[in-house]
Amino acid sequence: MNVEELVRDTLREQAAEQPSAEPGFADRVLGARRRRRVRRLAAVAMATAAVVTVSVGVPLLDSGGKDDVRPAGVIEQKDVHAHPDQSPPRDMIAAGDMALAAYYTTEVAARSETQGVAERTYHLLNPGTGRYEEDDRWSYVAVAPGMKRAAVLERQLPTKRIGLLDLRTRQVEAWITVDHGVGGLAFSPDGSRLVATGYAENPDLRVQTFGGLKDWMPEFGTDNRTGFHIVELASGKATWSATEPGDHLNFREDFAFGADGTTVWSRVVRGNSVRQYHDLRGEKIAAPAAERHLVWDALAGLSPDGRLAAGGLGREKGERTYTSLLDPRTGKEVGEVRGNGAMAWADDRRLITWERLPGSGTDTYRPRIVLVTIGSEKVVPLTGVREPNETLARTEWEPVFAER
């Protein structure tokens, strides 16, 4: 199929898709898919014209002798930007439709002998230079799909204003004022809205615990959350929904959008942690059918085509770890893939995940971010190894992924 035929078929497919719910619903659901189609068409056109930029070569770990169900050819690796010699990364990390949009470290600033605040320092990807640049102005950053702008909160939490930051210029384009103090942010799948989680106190408070341990821990067993705002970015309008006290919530329990942007969810601890969903008016609801069996710690969630879901923390087999792949509508395990703690789907067949460095043993967990493929034992390192800190007052760098 040539480029013109692919474009024509894609346009026909889009024309045939008609919304079947309230106005705007289909646009929200299909927004991410349309962006992915455009990128795929562009990739085909670039390959046809033989104008392709090849990323740096990346070494592969032991394949384990299994065949890849989609053999990795030249085109398979052209959308991978890897720097396995960098931890934390200095240059862009990306694979497929996703990129490492930012990362942050935290360090506790003491307020008294027994109380402190875990303050984040972000490094944001500059889309112009392709490098991560420190920006210490913000307590919380959420990066929008497309990675051109981010939503930011100033240092003192909770705060009643949200900034919209241009990631290239690092200038705040606009401030949105809300009625209730917030401490967490997340974009909708199409990037048109934010859910801003409300808190009564700073959700990043830390306390000295366990007598003379002299180390900082999050405060547990206290419900600090008050509700959430849904912010429409085009108009700057925000609607507030108060939420009831939860079940043994941690001091920070942020809301995030569901897969189609019509719900929000957060973790609730009831023996085993589960996802509690709300509609956009704040009412508790059952999980959507496609998300009913997602676990709270499975950050990758649904695959782009909705056919698979990444499980939670992986299981060990010798020195290797594996993450379950689930049928999202039944919860049945239908396979597994290398890695431990899948963070994002690069596409329908590849996952970005943590993987323990071979030979590091189990006493010290030394992971790096890798790309894995369903049906294959091959592992493509994307970053260098993240070395553990020995104190809870300072944490290792944490990745923030966004669709590019």
Side-chain angles (χ1 to χ4, degrees), residues 100-103 122-127 131-135 137-138 141 143 150 152 165 167 170:
L100 181 69
Y103 66 87
Y122 280 89
H123 289 73
L124 308 177
L125 180 65
N126 185 318
R131 294 180 64 87
Y132 297 97
E133 300 172 0
E134 181 176 327
D135 193 338
R137 293 175 291 174
W138 317 116
V141 176
V143 180
V152 296
L165 181 72
L167 288 175
R170 291 295 195 270

Side-chain angles (χ1 to χ4, degrees), residues 364-387:
T364 301
Y365 186 63
R366 300 176 64 234
R368 55 181 167 184
I369 298 176
V370 300
L371 179 68
V372 297
T373 302
I374 296 173
S376 173
E377 288 282 307
K378 291 181 179 180
V379 174
V380 180
L382 299 179
T383 72
V385 175
R386 188 180 72 174
E387 298 291 350

Side-chain angles (χ1 to χ4, degrees), residues 249-322:
L249 288 171
N250 294 325
F251 225 54
R252 174 181 286 279
E253 289 289 358
D254 293 333
F255 284 100
F257 279 97
D260 67 3
T262 65
T263 62
V264 296
W265 68 273
S266 68
R267 179 177 67 163
V268 177
V269 181
R270 300 190 187 107
N272 292 324
S273 297
V274 298
R275 288 186 174 202
Q276 174 62 62
Y277 283 78
H278 293 72
D279 63 24
L280 299 188
R281 298 183 302 273
E283 297 295 327
K284 288 184 178 181
I285 58 173
E291 300 172 65
R292 194 160 295 156
H293 297 281
L294 297 183
V295 292
W296 71 268
D297 60 345
L299 298 181
L302 292 174
S303 60
D305 61 9
R307 295 180 180 180
L308 292 171
L313 294 178
R315 52 180 175 266
E316 295 185 359
K317 294 183 181 180
E319 286 198 339
R320 294 180 175 178
T321 53
Y322 292 83

Side-chain angles (χ1 to χ4, degrees), residues 106 108 114-118 203-208 216-219 251 392:
T106 61
V108 175
T114 58
Q115 190 179 74
V117 175
D204 296 318
L205 289 177
R206 297 291 185 267
V207 293
Q208 292 279 8
W216 297 99
M217 295 287 289
E219 191 165 1
F251 225 54
L392 295 177

Side-chain angles (χ1 to χ4, degrees), residues 199-266:
Y199 289 101
E201 294 184 72
N202 191 322
D204 296 318
L205 289 177
R206 297 291 185 267
V207 293
Q208 292 279 8
T209 57
F210 304 113
L213 180 62
K214 295 301 178 185
D215 217 336
W216 297 99
M217 295 287 289
E219 191 165 1
F220 298 110
T222 304
D223 191 357
N224 178 45
R225 196 177 64 189
T226 56
F228 62 85
H229 283 286
I230 298 295
V231 182
E232 299 287 345
L233 298 183
S235 65
K237 293 182 178 179
T239 58
W240 171 254
S241 296
T243 54
E244 297 177 359
D247 300 276
H248 305 293
L249 288 171
N250 294 325
F251 225 54
R252 174 181 286 279
E253 289 289 358
D254 293 333
F255 284 100
F257 279 97
D260 67 3
T262 65
T263 62
V264 296
W265 68 273
S266 68

